[in-house]
PDB file of all heavy atoms in Angstrom:
ATOM      1  N   ASP A   8     118.907 112.771  54.277  1.00 98.00           N
ATOM      2  CA  ASP A   8     117.459 113.158  54.265  1.00 98.00           C
ATOM      3  C   ASP A   8     117.336 114.376  53.392  1.00 98.00           C
ATOM      4  O   ASP A   8     118.246 115.246  53.197  1.00 98.00           O
ATOM      5  CB  ASP A   8     117.069 113.498  55.702  1.00 98.00           C
ATOM      6  CG  ASP A   8     115.577 113.640  55.768  1.00 98.00           C
ATOM      7  OD1 ASP A   8     114.885 112.603  55.662  1.00 98.00           O
ATOM      8  OD2 ASP A   8     115.056 114.761  55.969  1.00 98.00           O
ATOM      9  N   ARG A  14     107.522 123.067  53.716  1.00 97.00           N
ATOM     10  CA  ARG A  14     106.885 122.404  54.783  1.00 97.00           C
ATOM     11  C   ARG A  14     107.353 122.883  56.158  1.00 97.00           C
ATOM     12  O   ARG A  14     106.476 123.135  57.061  1.00 97.00           O
ATOM     13  CB  ARG A  14     107.216 120.842  54.695  1.00 97.00           C
ATOM     14  CG  ARG A  14     106.629 120.048  55.772  1.00 97.00           C
ATOM     15  CD  ARG A  14     107.016 118.527  55.487  1.00 97.00           C
ATOM     16  NE  ARG A  14     106.917 117.888  56.812  1.00 97.00           N
ATOM     17  CZ  ARG A  14     107.848 117.063  57.206  1.00 97.00           C
ATOM     18  NH1 ARG A  14     108.940 116.808  56.560  1.00 97.00           N
ATOM     19  NH2 ARG A  14     107.714 116.477  58.399  1.00 97.00           N
ATOM     20  N   PHE A  26     106.606 124.574  67.661  1.00 97.00           N
ATOM     21  CA  PHE A  26     107.347 123.751  66.670  1.00 97.00           C
ATOM     22  C   PHE A  26     108.853 123.828  66.921  1.00 97.00           C
ATOM     23  O   PHE A  26     109.524 122.784  67.111  1.00 97.00           O
ATOM     24  CB  PHE A  26     107.006 124.069  65.210  1.00 97.00           C
ATOM     25  CG  PHE A  26     107.874 123.399  64.219  1.00 97.00           C
ATOM     26  CD1 PHE A  26     107.669 122.034  63.937  1.00 97.00           C
ATOM     27  CD2 PHE A  26     108.765 124.080  63.524  1.00 97.00           C
ATOM     28  CE1 PHE A  26     108.507 121.370  62.982  1.00 97.00           C
ATOM     29  CE2 PHE A  26     109.572 123.506  62.569  1.00 97.00           C
ATOM     30  CZ  PHE A  26     109.438 122.092  62.273  1.00 97.00           C
ATOM     31  N   THR A  27     109.304 125.048  66.883  1.00 97.00           N
ATOM     32  CA  THR A  27     110.846 125.274  66.982  1.00 97.00           C
ATOM     33  C   THR A  27     111.333 124.718  68.343  1.00 97.00           C
ATOM     34  O   THR A  27     112.491 124.100  68.356  1.00 97.00           O
ATOM     35  CB  THR A  27     111.245 126.627  66.698  1.00 97.00           C
ATOM     36  OG1 THR A  27     110.610 127.477  67.656  1.00 97.00           O
ATOM     37  CG2 THR A  27     110.936 127.060  65.209  1.00 97.00           C
ATOM     38  N   HIS A  28     110.606 124.954  69.368  1.00 97.00           N
ATOM     39  CA  HIS A  28     111.140 124.518  70.735  1.00 97.00           C
ATOM     40  C   HIS A  28     111.014 122.945  70.902  1.00 97.00           C
ATOM     41  O   HIS A  28     111.839 122.447  71.640  1.00 97.00           O
ATOM     42  CB  HIS A  28     110.319 125.199  71.830  1.00 97.00           C
ATOM     43  CG  HIS A  28     110.763 126.687  72.063  1.00 97.00           C
ATOM     44  ND1 HIS A  28     110.423 127.607  71.153  1.00 97.00           N
ATOM     45  CD2 HIS A  28     111.393 127.223  73.003  1.00 97.00           C
ATOM     46  CE1 HIS A  28     110.923 128.798  71.552  1.00 97.00           C
ATOM     47  NE2 HIS A  28     111.627 128.591  72.724  1.00 97.00           N
ATOM     48  N   ARG A  29     110.122 122.299  70.238  1.00 96.00           N
ATOM     49  CA  ARG A  29     110.043 120.908  70.221  1.00 96.00           C
ATOM     50  C   ARG A  29     111.155 120.157  69.539  1.00 96.00           C
ATOM     51  O   ARG A  29     111.673 119.165  69.929  1.00 96.00           O
ATOM     52  CB  ARG A  29     108.701 120.481  69.721  1.00 96.00           C
ATOM     53  CG  ARG A  29     108.488 118.934  69.717  1.00 96.00           C
ATOM     54  CD  ARG A  29     107.092 118.558  69.241  1.00 96.00           C
ATOM     55  NE  ARG A  29     107.019 117.112  69.126  1.00 96.00           N
ATOM     56  CZ  ARG A  29     106.886 116.429  68.023  1.00 96.00           C
ATOM     57  NH1 ARG A  29     106.775 117.094  66.863  1.00 96.00           N
ATOM     58  NH2 ARG A  29     106.838 115.121  67.965  1.00 96.00           N
ATOM     59  N   ILE A  30     111.575 120.777  68.391  1.00 97.00           N
ATOM     60  CA  ILE A  30     112.539 120.131  67.538  1.00 97.00           C
ATOM     61  C   ILE A  30     113.998 120.609  67.679  1.00 97.00           C
ATOM     62  O   ILE A  30     114.900 119.774  67.686  1.00 97.00           O
ATOM     63  CB  ILE A  30     112.194 120.360  66.059  1.00 97.00           C
ATOM     64  CG1 ILE A  30     110.679 119.899  65.746  1.00 97.00           C
ATOM     65  CG2 ILE A  30     113.127 119.663  65.108  1.00 97.00           C
ATOM     66  CD1 ILE A  30     110.455 118.496  65.845  1.00 97.00           C
ATOM     67  N   PHE A  31     114.181 121.828  67.977  1.00 97.00           N
ATOM     68  CA  PHE A  31     115.481 122.472  67.944  1.00 97.00           C
ATOM     69  C   PHE A  31     115.999 122.918  69.304  1.00 97.00           C
ATOM     70  O   PHE A  31     115.155 123.346  70.165  1.00 97.00           O
ATOM     71  CB  PHE A  31     115.567 123.599  67.006  1.00 97.00           C
ATOM     72  CG  PHE A  31     115.095 123.226  65.543  1.00 97.00           C
ATOM     73  CD1 PHE A  31     113.794 123.445  65.177  1.00 97.00           C
ATOM     74  CD2 PHE A  31     115.969 122.572  64.746  1.00 97.00           C
ATOM     75  CE1 PHE A  31     113.373 123.146  63.859  1.00 97.00           C
ATOM     76  CE2 PHE A  31     115.596 122.246  63.483  1.00 97.00           C
ATOM     77  CZ  PHE A  31     114.290 122.467  63.044  1.00 97.00           C
ATOM     78  N   THR A  32     117.292 122.881  69.562  1.00 97.00           N
ATOM     79  CA  THR A  32     117.892 123.350  70.762  1.00 97.00           C
ATOM     80  C   THR A  32     117.891 124.872  70.776  1.00 97.00           C
ATOM     81  O   THR A  32     117.730 125.530  69.752  1.00 97.00           O
ATOM     82  CB  THR A  32     119.351 122.756  70.988  1.00 97.00           C
ATOM     83  OG1 THR A  32     120.116 123.395  69.975  1.00 97.00           O
ATOM     84  CG2 THR A  32     119.328 121.321  70.937  1.00 97.00           C
ATOM     85  N   GLU A  35     120.471 126.094  68.295  1.00 97.00           N
ATOM     86  CA  GLU A  35     119.998 126.083  66.858  1.00 97.00           C
ATOM     87  C   GLU A  35     118.979 127.093  66.537  1.00 97.00           C
ATOM     88  O   GLU A  35     119.011 127.738  65.484  1.00 97.00           O
ATOM     89  CB  GLU A  35     119.374 124.645  66.634  1.00 97.00           C
ATOM     90  CG  GLU A  35     120.416 123.553  66.601  1.00 97.00           C
ATOM     91  CD  GLU A  35     119.794 122.160  66.578  1.00 97.00           C
ATOM     92  OE1 GLU A  35     118.794 121.892  67.297  1.00 97.00           O
ATOM     93  OE2 GLU A  35     120.290 121.306  65.849  1.00 97.00           O
ATOM     94  N   ARG A  52     118.721 122.030  59.219  1.00 97.00           N
ATOM     95  CA  ARG A  52     118.928 121.318  60.544  1.00 97.00           C
ATOM     96  C   ARG A  52     117.931 120.251  60.766  1.00 97.00           C
ATOM     97  O   ARG A  52     118.272 119.183  61.283  1.00 97.00           O
ATOM     98  CB  ARG A  52     118.818 122.362  61.631  1.00 97.00           C
ATOM     99  CG  ARG A  52     120.067 123.220  61.735  1.00 97.00           C
ATOM    100  CD  ARG A  52     119.944 124.490  62.559  1.00 97.00           C
ATOM    101  NE  ARG A  52     121.205 125.199  62.644  1.00 97.00           N
ATOM    102  CZ  ARG A  52     121.792 125.809  61.741  1.00 97.00           C
ATOM    103  NH1 ARG A  52     121.256 125.905  60.535  1.00 97.00           N
ATOM    104  NH2 ARG A  52     123.016 126.420  61.901  1.00 97.00           N
ATOM    105  N   PHE A  53     116.718 120.390  60.245  1.00 98.00           N
ATOM    106  CA  PHE A  53     115.744 119.294  60.422  1.00 98.00           C
ATOM    107  C   PHE A  53     116.167 118.096  59.660  1.00 98.00           C
ATOM    108  O   PHE A  53     116.172 117.008  60.111  1.00 98.00           O
ATOM    109  CB  PHE A  53     114.330 119.771  59.928  1.00 98.00           C
ATOM    110  CG  PHE A  53     113.234 118.830  60.127  1.00 98.00           C
ATOM    111  CD1 PHE A  53     112.489 118.851  61.251  1.00 98.00           C
ATOM    112  CD2 PHE A  53     112.889 117.855  59.178  1.00 98.00           C
ATOM    113  CE1 PHE A  53     111.415 118.028  61.476  1.00 98.00           C
ATOM    114  CE2 PHE A  53     111.863 116.981  59.346  1.00 98.00           C
ATOM    115  CZ  PHE A  53     111.110 117.012  60.513  1.00 98.00           C
ATOM    116  N   ALA A  54     116.664 118.286  58.397  1.00 98.00           N
ATOM    117  CA  ALA A  54     117.135 117.204  57.566  1.00 98.00           C
ATOM    118  C   ALA A  54     118.381 116.550  58.224  1.00 98.00           C
ATOM    119  O   ALA A  54     118.507 115.361  58.145  1.00 98.00           O
ATOM    120  CB  ALA A  54     117.466 117.730  56.130  1.00 98.00           C
ATOM    121  N   ALA A  55     119.171 117.357  58.802  1.00 98.00           N
ATOM    122  CA  ALA A  55     120.331 116.787  59.483  1.00 98.00           C
ATOM    123  C   ALA A  55     120.019 115.879  60.634  1.00 98.00           C
ATOM    124  O   ALA A  55     120.650 114.864  60.871  1.00 98.00           O
ATOM    125  CB  ALA A  55     121.289 117.907  59.920  1.00 98.00           C
ATOM    126  N   LYS A  56     119.087 116.305  61.404  1.00 97.00           N
ATOM    127  CA  LYS A  56     118.637 115.491  62.526  1.00 97.00           C
ATOM    128  C   LYS A  56     118.015 114.136  62.062  1.00 97.00           C
ATOM    129  O   LYS A  56     118.279 113.018  62.654  1.00 97.00           O
ATOM    130  CB  LYS A  56     117.498 116.237  63.389  1.00 97.00           C
ATOM    131  CG  LYS A  56     118.139 117.345  64.227  1.00 97.00           C
ATOM    132  CD  LYS A  56     117.109 118.191  64.777  1.00 97.00           C
ATOM    133  CE  LYS A  56     117.599 119.363  65.516  1.00 97.00           C
ATOM    134  NZ  LYS A  56     117.930 119.106  66.959  1.00 97.00           N
ATOM    135  N   GLU A  57     117.213 114.171  61.005  1.00 97.00           N
ATOM    136  CA  GLU A  57     116.693 112.952  60.355  1.00 97.00           C
ATOM    137  C   GLU A  57     117.816 112.063  59.876  1.00 97.00           C
ATOM    138  O   GLU A  57     117.831 110.836  60.090  1.00 97.00           O
ATOM    139  CB  GLU A  57     115.746 113.310  59.243  1.00 97.00           C
ATOM    140  CG  GLU A  57     114.392 113.820  59.721  1.00 97.00           C
ATOM    141  CD  GLU A  57     113.376 112.807  60.128  1.00 97.00           C
ATOM    142  OE1 GLU A  57     113.705 111.618  60.083  1.00 97.00           O
ATOM    143  OE2 GLU A  57     112.190 113.209  60.319  1.00 97.00           O
ATOM    144  N   ALA A  58     118.805 112.626  59.183  1.00 97.00           N
ATOM    145  CA  ALA A  58     119.892 111.824  58.625  1.00 97.00           C
ATOM    146  C   ALA A  58     120.732 111.326  59.769  1.00 97.00           C
ATOM    147  O   ALA A  58     121.213 110.109  59.669  1.00 97.00           O
ATOM    148  CB  ALA A  58     120.811 112.768  57.790  1.00 97.00           C
ATOM    149  N   ALA A  60     119.682 110.495  62.857  1.00 97.00           N
ATOM    150  CA  ALA A  60     118.891 109.348  63.411  1.00 97.00           C
ATOM    151  C   ALA A  60     118.997 108.149  62.579  1.00 97.00           C
ATOM    152  O   ALA A  60     119.066 106.987  63.139  1.00 97.00           O
ATOM    153  CB  ALA A  60     117.438 109.775  63.642  1.00 97.00           C
ATOM    154  N   GLY A  66     116.400 105.796  63.878  1.00 81.00           N
ATOM    155  CA  GLY A  66     115.363 106.736  63.489  1.00 81.00           C
ATOM    156  C   GLY A  66     114.975 107.464  64.752  1.00 81.00           C
ATOM    157  O   GLY A  66     115.750 107.604  65.707  1.00 81.00           O
ATOM    158  N   MET A  67     113.774 108.029  64.755  1.00 82.00           N
ATOM    159  CA  MET A  67     113.395 108.862  65.934  1.00 82.00           C
ATOM    160  C   MET A  67     112.626 107.931  66.880  1.00 82.00           C
ATOM    161  O   MET A  67     111.406 108.084  67.093  1.00 82.00           O
ATOM    162  CB  MET A  67     112.504 110.036  65.449  1.00 82.00           C
ATOM    163  CG  MET A  67     113.138 110.970  64.537  1.00 82.00           C
ATOM    164  SD  MET A  67     114.730 111.602  65.209  1.00 82.00           S
ATOM    165  CE  MET A  67     114.134 112.494  66.581  1.00 82.00           C
ATOM    166  N   SER A  68     113.337 106.912  67.386  1.00 82.00           N
ATOM    167  CA  SER A  68     112.769 105.971  68.361  1.00 82.00           C
ATOM    168  C   SER A  68     113.901 105.430  69.234  1.00 82.00           C
ATOM    169  O   SER A  68     114.999 105.871  69.127  1.00 82.00           O
ATOM    170  CB  SER A  68     112.066 104.820  67.552  1.00 82.00           C
ATOM    171  OG  SER A  68     113.032 104.053  66.863  1.00 82.00           O
ATOM    172  N   GLY A  70     114.562 105.795  72.283  1.00 86.00           N
ATOM    173  CA  GLY A  70     115.203 106.789  73.210  1.00 86.00           C
ATOM    174  C   GLY A  70     115.915 107.949  72.611  1.00 86.00           C
ATOM    175  O   GLY A  70     116.531 108.727  73.274  1.00 86.00           O
ATOM    176  N   VAL A  71     115.869 108.101  71.153  1.00 93.00           N
ATOM    177  CA  VAL A  71     116.529 109.170  70.544  1.00 93.00           C
ATOM    178  C   VAL A  71     115.467 110.177  70.219  1.00 93.00           C
ATOM    179  O   VAL A  71     114.415 109.907  69.593  1.00 93.00           O
ATOM    180  CB  VAL A  71     117.218 108.682  69.180  1.00 93.00           C
ATOM    181  CG1 VAL A  71     117.747 109.819  68.422  1.00 93.00           C
ATOM    182  CG2 VAL A  71     118.259 107.669  69.546  1.00 93.00           C
ATOM    183  N   PHE A  72     115.663 111.386  70.698  1.00 95.00           N
ATOM    184  CA  PHE A  72     114.723 112.523  70.514  1.00 95.00           C
ATOM    185  C   PHE A  72     115.345 113.587  69.789  1.00 95.00           C
ATOM    186  O   PHE A  72     116.589 113.720  69.635  1.00 95.00           O
ATOM    187  CB  PHE A  72     114.283 113.074  71.883  1.00 95.00           C
ATOM    188  CG  PHE A  72     113.572 111.946  72.741  1.00 95.00           C
ATOM    189  CD1 PHE A  72     114.246 111.327  73.784  1.00 95.00           C
ATOM    190  CD2 PHE A  72     112.270 111.621  72.441  1.00 95.00           C
ATOM    191  CE1 PHE A  72     113.586 110.273  74.493  1.00 95.00           C
ATOM    192  CE2 PHE A  72     111.557 110.640  73.217  1.00 95.00           C
ATOM    193  CZ  PHE A  72     112.233 110.003  74.154  1.00 95.00           C
ATOM    194  N   TRP A  73     114.517 114.485  69.220  1.00 95.00           N
ATOM    195  CA  TRP A  73     114.971 115.592  68.291  1.00 95.00           C
ATOM    196  C   TRP A  73     116.137 116.418  68.987  1.00 95.00           C
ATOM    197  O   TRP A  73     117.090 116.657  68.317  1.00 95.00           O
ATOM    198  CB  TRP A  73     113.794 116.509  68.017  1.00 95.00           C
ATOM    199  CG  TRP A  73     112.732 115.948  67.166  1.00 95.00           C
ATOM    200  CD1 TRP A  73     111.458 115.505  67.509  1.00 95.00           C
ATOM    201  CD2 TRP A  73     112.857 115.575  65.718  1.00 95.00           C
ATOM    202  NE1 TRP A  73     110.852 115.013  66.416  1.00 95.00           N
ATOM    203  CE2 TRP A  73     111.643 115.104  65.388  1.00 95.00           C
ATOM    204  CE3 TRP A  73     113.829 115.812  64.784  1.00 95.00           C
ATOM    205  CZ2 TRP A  73     111.362 114.720  64.033  1.00 95.00           C
ATOM    206  CZ3 TRP A  73     113.583 115.485  63.467  1.00 95.00           C
ATOM    207  CH2 TRP A  73     112.386 114.920  63.156  1.00 95.00           C
ATOM    208  N   ARG A  74     115.912 116.887  70.208  1.00 96.00           N
ATOM    209  CA  ARG A  74     116.860 117.764  70.821  1.00 96.00           C
ATOM    210  C   ARG A  74     118.106 116.989  71.383  1.00 96.00           C
ATOM    211  O   ARG A  74     118.995 117.685  71.906  1.00 96.00           O
ATOM    212  CB  ARG A  74     116.183 118.663  71.924  1.00 96.00           C
ATOM    213  CG  ARG A  74     115.274 119.623  71.215  1.00 96.00           C
ATOM    214  CD  ARG A  74     114.600 120.488  72.264  1.00 96.00           C
ATOM    215  NE  ARG A  74     113.820 119.556  73.089  1.00 96.00           N
ATOM    216  CZ  ARG A  74     112.804 119.892  73.912  1.00 96.00           C
ATOM    217  NH1 ARG A  74     112.402 121.110  73.977  1.00 96.00           N
ATOM    218  NH2 ARG A  74     112.178 118.922  74.613  1.00 96.00           N
ATOM    219  N   ASP A  75     118.122 115.719  71.245  1.00 97.00           N
ATOM    220  CA  ASP A  75     119.377 114.970  71.557  1.00 97.00           C
ATOM    221  C   ASP A  75     120.410 115.134  70.516  1.00 97.00           C
ATOM    222  O   ASP A  75     121.576 114.739  70.723  1.00 97.00           O
ATOM    223  CB  ASP A  75     119.039 113.474  71.721  1.00 97.00           C
ATOM    224  CG  ASP A  75     118.137 113.055  72.894  1.00 97.00           C
ATOM    225  OD1 ASP A  75     118.036 113.954  73.758  1.00 97.00           O
ATOM    226  OD2 ASP A  75     117.754 111.918  72.923  1.00 97.00           O
ATOM    227  N   MET A  76     120.046 115.733  69.397  1.00 97.00           N
ATOM    228  CA  MET A  76     120.979 115.906  68.266  1.00 97.00           C
ATOM    229  C   MET A  76     121.017 117.355  67.887  1.00 97.00           C
ATOM    230  O   MET A  76     120.084 117.941  67.447  1.00 97.00           O
ATOM    231  CB  MET A  76     120.500 115.068  67.026  1.00 97.00           C
ATOM    232  CG  MET A  76     120.400 113.647  67.324  1.00 97.00           C
ATOM    233  SD  MET A  76     119.602 112.732  65.940  1.00 97.00           S
ATOM    234  CE  MET A  76     117.853 113.123  66.315  1.00 97.00           C
ATOM    235  N   GLU A  77     122.116 117.993  68.224  1.00 98.00           N
ATOM    236  CA  GLU A  77     122.288 119.449  68.011  1.00 98.00           C
ATOM    237  C   GLU A  77     123.342 119.791  66.984  1.00 98.00           C
ATOM    238  O   GLU A  77     124.450 119.346  67.120  1.00 98.00           O
ATOM    239  CB  GLU A  77     122.605 120.164  69.330  1.00 98.00           C
ATOM    240  CG  GLU A  77     122.789 121.674  69.114  1.00 98.00           C
ATOM    241  CD  GLU A  77     123.158 122.375  70.394  1.00 98.00           C
ATOM    242  OE1 GLU A  77     123.650 121.769  71.361  1.00 98.00           O
ATOM    243  OE2 GLU A  77     122.865 123.579  70.450  1.00 98.00           O
ATOM    244  N   ILE A  78     122.930 120.489  65.931  1.00 97.00           N
ATOM    245  CA  ILE A  78     123.945 120.910  64.982  1.00 97.00           C
ATOM    246  C   ILE A  78     124.728 122.124  65.553  1.00 97.00           C
ATOM    247  O   ILE A  78     124.141 123.083  65.985  1.00 97.00           O
ATOM    248  CB  ILE A  78     123.252 121.364  63.664  1.00 97.00           C
ATOM    249  CG1 ILE A  78     122.626 120.174  62.923  1.00 97.00           C
ATOM    250  CG2 ILE A  78     124.199 122.151  62.710  1.00 97.00           C
ATOM    251  CD1 ILE A  78     123.619 119.344  62.186  1.00 97.00           C
ATOM    252  N   PHE A  88     127.775 117.510  64.905  1.00 96.00           N
ATOM    253  CA  PHE A  88     126.783 117.240  65.886  1.00 96.00           C
ATOM    254  C   PHE A  88     127.331 117.267  67.296  1.00 96.00           C
ATOM    255  O   PHE A  88     128.375 116.718  67.548  1.00 96.00           O
ATOM    256  CB  PHE A  88     126.045 115.922  65.684  1.00 96.00           C
ATOM    257  CG  PHE A  88     124.868 115.992  64.679  1.00 96.00           C
ATOM    258  CD1 PHE A  88     125.037 115.582  63.444  1.00 96.00           C
ATOM    259  CD2 PHE A  88     123.660 116.405  65.168  1.00 96.00           C
ATOM    260  CE1 PHE A  88     124.031 115.625  62.582  1.00 96.00           C
ATOM    261  CE2 PHE A  88     122.577 116.457  64.240  1.00 96.00           C
ATOM    262  CZ  PHE A  88     122.758 116.128  62.974  1.00 96.00           C
ATOM    263  N   ARG A  89     126.487 117.739  68.283  1.00 97.00           N
ATOM    264  CA  ARG A  89     126.686 117.529  69.648  1.00 97.00           C
ATOM    265  C   ARG A  89     125.544 116.640  70.117  1.00 97.00           C
ATOM    266  O   ARG A  89     124.436 117.047  70.028  1.00 97.00           O
ATOM    267  CB  ARG A  89     126.620 118.812  70.478  1.00 97.00           C
ATOM    268  CG  ARG A  89     126.822 118.609  71.905  1.00 97.00           C
ATOM    269  CD  ARG A  89     126.777 119.891  72.779  1.00 97.00           C
ATOM    270  NE  ARG A  89     127.732 120.912  72.301  1.00 97.00           N
ATOM    271  CZ  ARG A  89     127.477 122.199  71.992  1.00 97.00           C
ATOM    272  NH1 ARG A  89     126.204 122.619  72.165  1.00 97.00           N
ATOM    273  NH2 ARG A  89     128.388 122.998  71.631  1.00 97.00           N
ATOM    274  N   LEU A  90     125.896 115.359  70.508  1.00 97.00           N
ATOM    275  CA  LEU A  90     124.800 114.425  70.786  1.00 97.00           C
ATOM    276  C   LEU A  90     124.693 114.373  72.372  1.00 97.00           C
ATOM    277  O   LEU A  90     125.728 114.430  73.033  1.00 97.00           O
ATOM    278  CB  LEU A  90     125.189 113.085  70.225  1.00 97.00           C
ATOM    279  CG  LEU A  90     125.244 113.036  68.703  1.00 97.00           C
ATOM    280  CD1 LEU A  90     125.561 111.548  68.297  1.00 97.00           C
ATOM    281  CD2 LEU A  90     124.040 113.484  68.070  1.00 97.00           C
ATOM    282  N   THR A  91     123.501 114.236  72.784  1.00 97.00           N
ATOM    283  CA  THR A  91     123.219 114.020  74.227  1.00 97.00           C
ATOM    284  C   THR A  91     122.134 113.012  74.413  1.00 97.00           C
ATOM    285  O   THR A  91     121.626 112.453  73.487  1.00 97.00           O
ATOM    286  CB  THR A  91     122.722 115.397  74.891  1.00 97.00           C
ATOM    287  OG1 THR A  91     121.544 115.788  74.218  1.00 97.00           O
ATOM    288  CG2 THR A  91     123.752 116.496  74.795  1.00 97.00           C
ATOM    289  N   ALA A  94     120.678 109.764  72.067  1.00 97.00           N
ATOM    290  CA  ALA A  94     121.473 109.689  70.817  1.00 97.00           C
ATOM    291  C   ALA A  94     122.951 109.432  71.161  1.00 97.00           C
ATOM    292  O   ALA A  94     123.646 108.647  70.567  1.00 97.00           O
ATOM    293  CB  ALA A  94     121.389 111.078  70.077  1.00 97.00           C
TER     294      ALA A  94
END
Side-chain angles (χ1 to χ4, degrees):
D8 193 67
R14 179 176 156 230
F26 171 72
T27 58
H28 283 73
R29 178 174 173 247
I30 305 293
F31 303 99
T32 66
E35 290 171 318
R52 284 165 174 72
F53 188 91
K56 288 171 184 269
E57 288 275 8
M67 299 306 296
S68 66
V71 175
F72 299 99
W73 292 107
R74 289 177 302 199
D75 290 348
M76 300 170 285
E77 179 181 21
I78 290 286
F88 272 100
R89 179 183 303 133
L90 302 180
T91 59

